[in-house]
Amino acid sequence: MSRFTLYDGRKRFSIVCLLLTVVFVGVALRLAWLQIVRARDLSQMSQLQLTADLVQKHPRGRIVDRDGEELAVSIMTGSLYADPEGMVDSPESAKQKPQRDVRRISADLLAPVLHMDADGLYKTFAGGGRFVWLKRTMEPKEVEQVRKLIKDNKLPGLHFLEESKRYYTKKRTAAQILGFIGTDDVGLSGIEYQLNDVLKGKDTKYSLMVDAAGQQILGSLLNDDAQTVKKPKEQLPTVYLTLDSKMQYVLEDAMDDAISRTKARGAAAIIMDPYTGEILGMASRPTFDPNNFGKYNPDTWNNKAISMIYEPGSVFKPIVGCMGLTEGIITPDTIFQDDGSIRIADRVIHNWDGEGMGPVPFATIIKFSINTGMVQLGMQLGADRLISYAKKFGFGSPTGIDLPGEEYGILYDPKMMYEPDVATMAIGQGVAVTPIQVLRAICAIANGGELLQPYIVKKIVAPDGTVISEGQKHVVRNVITPQVARQMRDMMEKVVSEGGGKPAAIKGYRIAGKTGTAEKLAEGGGYAAGQYIASFVGFVPADKPMYAMLVMLDTPQGAFYGSQVSAPIFRDTLQQILVAKGIQPASSEGLPSFEEMNAVGAKETAKQRPAPQIQLLPDGKIKLPDFSGIDMRLAAELLQQGRLRMKPYGSGHAYQQRPEPGTEVGEGATVEIWFR
């Protein structure tokens, strides 16, 4: 071996050693950099790669009636989405021949279940992307069907996210009050909107350890700072409304019947506790099913009870009467001359029937709703006092009820009022109000003078039973003295017992009320020919009121006077409620005698007939029992169990019915029962 060859070998060896040393030092420095300098950052990166951040949705809080009966509830269900880029078979499956068109297969299989067009679905999948919603908040049955399709057909790229789905258990009942939610679980109207922050749970994030495919590693949860992060659970508060479901059902049924009979364009009805301001029932027509609100005209979402403004007509007369009594201008015995019509400047105002009664006391003016007497009182009050008192009674401003969408109403500027304006306002024209404003003002007469703020949220209760907030009686102001209130109550009672409100009378009960028929405003100004607002407002019992109620019909066809169309609704609705609530009549007039009751009781005892029962059939029909011998209260309770409507005749115990016992009827059917 030559000297040069040996030298070259040593040189190469030295170079290799040097290179190895450089590599070793480089690796050592790199390791030191990664394990010491970058250790914290790399640890976090590793953790992020091994974990998936997920969002946990929570079901909305419940809405229930005053007794806890559910009106709106939520469950967690699946929302289906697609990952179009992932809708291809895995490499192992791709080896199969012929290769599957996963997108076409998925579209054809999903379309019947989702009730969607297969070609439309395929276009969605072919459009690419990593995320596209297919159907939100599916029914649990649909979720199971789709899961089975995915599993049985090994369809990649289809996934579920858990979301909250809202159910309105009584369908159309109290629809405008409850409102509805959007697809993102956000309240869009009614209580759902008003209390969205209370009812909607906050989205919470949690992390899970996953493998390279993004699947959760069984039995492992991310340990963060020695704290195990588990999938959070949250319970939300329950909102109790002041509504009474039984009253609400009767009210809703009465509204449906009224619309069917009168062909009215719309309607509203409210039942209120005149001493507390609690709303016990509220219905508006036309209506909708909040479970499928998108299928209805948006006009049906409006709550006419708080948002419709109209001229009230004669139901406003008791308010004007209270003004005159308070100012000392009149007493119930003050005499007015009624000639059937009266001229104020260039305007001639007639009585509803065109007839005059001559000299009559003011009590008769109210009893028979005489326009000429009210005009004379209005002219004595004048524009300033009329408007001032109207504002005092709450007209021209919202009542403050805890529902969205309440209107203000409209009042004149007294400085802009001419004599005919004063005259027409005294008879309830030329002033625009809402149904809730009218009922609240009448309640001030019923309760002795207190103008209350109506409310519909009774309380909000935390999951542990703690009451977070509670609705309470709130007196806005005293508007009249107890003496004036008593005088007007007496006059309004005679409206029903002797005057134009007789169709609202319920045998054995003292009813106070007032009819109203007002010309309807035309869109272009003036009044619409042949179009009227028919209403009735009153309370029962007249001396110690428990329930105050207003019925308003918008443009009824045929008969249009409040006494003809609205008063009977008031009567039929409250009669069912009084019987169902066990409120005893004030007198025995028209009711069975003691001997008759004993005779019926003896007859029933002799027969030893078991109490009748409502029979619910598998096809959803109801088989009617024999109601003979039972009292009106029990009959009403039985019919409510089957969601049937009772039309009673007379008082006492049942002796005849239509349809006959054993007849099968559908939900909502009317059963006529005669009592004696």
Side-chain angles (χ1 to χ4, degrees):
M1 182 180 297
S2 67
R3 181 169 60 88
F4 294 104
T5 302
L6 181 60
Y7 173 78
D8 290 341
R10 288 176 179 176
K11 184 177 180 181
R12 285 194 295 272
F13 177 75
S14 298
I15 291 172
V16 170
C17 289
L18 180 61
L19 290 174
L20 289 174
T21 300
V22 170
V23 171
F24 177 78
V25 171
V27 171
L29 291 173
R30 181 61 177 169
L31 288 174
W33 171 259
L34 294 176
Q35 294 188 9
I36 299 175
V37 179
R38 294 287 313 280
R40 183 181 181 85
D41 294 339
L42 293 175
S43 175
Q44 291 177 350
M45 290 176 60
S46 173
Q47 196 174 67
L48 289 172
Q49 290 176 347
L50 290 173
T51 62
D53 290 329
L54 303 177
V55 175
Q56 170 69 14
K57 302 281 187 178
H58 299 283
R60 288 176 75 84
R62 297 186 308 149
I63 304 175
V64 301
D65 81 340
R66 63 188 304 113
D67 297 317
E69 188 167 342
E70 291 181 335
L71 302 174
V73 297
S74 291
I75 65 169
M76 298 306 295
T77 186
S79 289
L80 180 65
Y81 72 93
D83 172 9
E85 297 296 332
M87 297 183 77
V88 293
D89 280 328
S90 62
E92 293 76 12
S93 301
K95 295 177 182 178
Q96 302 172 358
K97 293 185 180 181
Q99 187 173 349
R100 299 192 309 168
D101 184 348
V102 174
R103 294 171 180 172
R104 182 75 260 177
I105 295 171
S106 298
D108 291 339
L109 290 173
L110 288 175
V113 179
L114 302 181
H115 304 289
M116 298 173 72
D117 177 63
D119 291 336
L121 275 176
Y122 180 72
K123 289 180 180 178
T124 298
F125 299 151
R130 300 305 311 234
F131 185 97
V132 58
W133 283 116
L134 298 182
K135 190 169 185 180
R136 306 282 294 273
T137 59
M138 298 167 61
E139 293 292 337
K141 183 178 179 181
E142 290 180 317
V143 172
E144 291 307 313
Q145 286 180 287
V146 173
R147 287 190 191 279
K148 190 173 188 305
L149 282 177
I150 293 172
K151 181 179 179 182
D152 292 349
N153 296 277
K154 299 179 180 178
L155 302 177
L158 297 171
H159 309 281
F160 283 97
L161 285 178
E162 196 175 35
E163 291 192 294
S164 173
K165 182 174 178 64
R166 198 64 157 168
Y167 289 94
Y168 299 93
T169 60
K170 299 184 182 299
K171 299 180 180 178
R172 299 191 310 158
T173 298
Q176 289 88 359
I177 296 171
L178 298 173
F180 51 84
I181 64 170
T183 53
D184 292 320
D185 206 33
V186 174
L188 300 179
S189 72
I191 291 293
E192 297 281 27
Y193 172 84
Q194 189 78 5
L195 297 179
N196 185 66
D197 291 342
V198 173
L199 292 165
K200 188 182 188 314
K202 295 181 179 179
D203 295 343
T204 52
K205 294 182 179 180
Y206 66 99
S207 299
L208 294 176
M209 292 189 70
V210 295
D211 59 19
Q215 302 298 318
Q216 180 182 347
I217 299 174
L218 295 177
S220 68
L221 287 169
L222 176 64
N223 188 285
D224 183 12
D225 296 330
Q227 302 261 345
T228 300
V229 180
K230 296 184 178 179
K231 191 175 181 180
K233 294 181 180 180
E234 180 179 282
Q235 290 179 298
L236 296 173
T238 297
V239 173
Y240 283 77
L241 301 182
T242 58
L243 295 181
D244 182 309
S245 285
K246 293 182 178 62
M247 289 190 187
Q248 185 69 27
Y249 172 74
V250 173
L251 198 60
E252 298 273 359
D253 191 59
M255 288 292 95
D256 286 337
D257 183 62
I259 293 295
S260 174
R261 286 189 296 103
T262 69
K263 304 297 187 290
R265 187 174 299 170
I270 315 168
I271 302 175
M272 180 173 165
D273 184 327
Y275 282 96
T276 66
E278 290 180 291
I279 301 298
L280 304 172
M282 179 183 283
S284 176
R285 291 295 181 276
T287 189
F288 68 103
D289 182 350
N291 292 294
N292 299 290
F293 67 90
K295 296 181 179 179
Y296 294 80
N297 188 310
D299 289 343
T300 65
W301 306 343
N302 295 329
N303 187 349
K304 291 183 182 293
I306 64 171
S307 66
M308 179 176 174
I309 55 174
Y310 63 101
E311 296 191 357
S314 294
V315 294
F316 195 69
K317 289 175 179 176
I319 308 301
V320 178
C322 286
M323 299 177 192
L325 292 169
T326 301
E327 288 293 307
I329 296 174
I330 58 167
T331 71
D333 300 321
T334 300
I335 300 298
F336 287 84
Q337 179 63 32
D338 172 29
D339 295 326
S341 65
I342 186 170
R343 175 179 289 275
I344 302 296
D346 61 347
R347 184 84 54 87
V348 178
I349 298 174
H350 300 270
N351 288 335
W352 66 272
D353 59 357
E355 300 293 327
M357 298 180 69
V360 291
F362 183 73
T364 300
I365 299 291
I366 292 293
K367 181 166 66 176
F368 292 110
S369 200
I370 298 173
N371 285 341
T372 59
M374 293 305 303
V375 169
Q376 293 174 60
L377 173 58
M379 299 309 295
Q380 292 182 62
L381 283 165
D384 287 325
R385 284 193 288 193
L386 273 173
I387 296 300
S388 176
Y389 271 102
K391 289 180 178 179
K392 192 175 181 180
F393 271 95
F395 296 103
S397 60
T399 66
I401 189 172
D402 34 6
L403 285 171
E406 184 180 11
E407 289 289 346
Y408 283 64
I410 303 172
L411 291 177
Y412 277 110
D413 178 346
K415 295 178 181 179
M416 302 298 291
M417 292 178 72
Y418 299 96
E419 287 185 339
D421 299 327
V422 175
T424 54
M425 183 174 174
I427 62 172
Q429 301 273 181
V431 52
V433 303
T434 64
I436 190 70
Q437 287 175 342
V438 174
L439 185 59
R440 172 168 82 150
I442 294 298
C443 281
I445 297 172
N447 65 34
E450 294 179 339
L451 186 72
L452 304 176
Q453 178 176 320
Y455 65 98
I456 203 165
V457 177
K458 189 172 183 63
K459 58 183 176 180
I460 300 173
V461 181
D464 63 0
T466 303
V467 177
I468 299 173
S469 64
E470 190 166 10
Q472 294 180 343
K473 174 181 177 179
H474 175 63
V475 180
V476 179
R477 67 182 74 90
N478 287 308
V479 292
I480 52 177
T481 65
Q483 180 185 4
V484 168
R486 178 182 54 77
Q487 290 174 326
M488 186 52 67
R489 283 200 302 269
D490 291 343
M491 286 186 269
M492 291 177 68
E493 185 175 2
K494 289 183 180 179
V495 170
V496 178
S497 62
E498 304 173 14
K502 282 184 178 180
I506 303 174
K507 285 185 178 180
Y509 293 91
R510 296 178 62 181
I511 309 291
K514 187 70 188 74
T515 60
T517 307
E519 294 179 280
K520 189 174 178 182
L521 291 170
E523 291 184 4
Y527 293 100
Q531 296 187 25
Y532 300 89
I533 299 292
S535 54
F536 187 90
V537 64
F539 43 87
V540 60
D543 54 338
K544 295 180 180 178
M546 295 184 66
Y547 306 122
M549 181 177 174
L550 176 140
V551 178
M552 183 276 294
L553 296 178
D554 177 7
T555 321
Q557 304 302 304
F560 59 83
Y561 286 111
S563 59
Q564 295 173 308
V565 294
S566 298
I569 299 170
F570 177 96
R571 177 198 64 214
D572 294 344
T573 302
L574 278 181
Q575 183 169 1
Q576 292 188 62
I577 290 171
L578 291 169
V579 170
K581 294 298 181 181
I583 298 171
Q584 299 300 315
S587 71
S588 59
E589 181 182 353
L591 301 178
S593 67
F594 180 76
E595 290 76 14
E596 289 174 324
M597 292 177 67
N598 275 348
V600 172
K603 181 180 178 181
E604 285 303 304
T605 302
K607 291 167 66 176
Q608 292 294 311
R609 185 170 64 86
Q613 300 290 329
I614 289 289
Q615 186 178 354
L616 302 177
L617 303 176
D619 61 356
K621 294 287 186 71
I622 299 99
K623 187 174 183 180
L624 294 179
D626 184 355
F627 291 100
S628 61
I630 67 172
D631 60 27
M632 194 181 294
R633 180 180 181 182
L634 179 55
E637 290 176 350
L638 289 170
L639 289 170
Q640 285 178 4
Q641 291 175 15
R643 299 185 71 81
L644 301 174
R645 181 177 182 271
M646 179 173 71
K647 190 169 186 178
Y649 300 94
S651 304
H653 292 74
Y655 69 93
Q656 184 180 336
Q657 71 185 73
R658 188 168 57 210
E660 299 295 325
T663 304
E664 296 179 8
V665 298
E667 181 180 311
T670 298
V671 180
E672 296 178 286
I673 304 179
W674 284 261
F675 298 87
R676 65 186 175 192

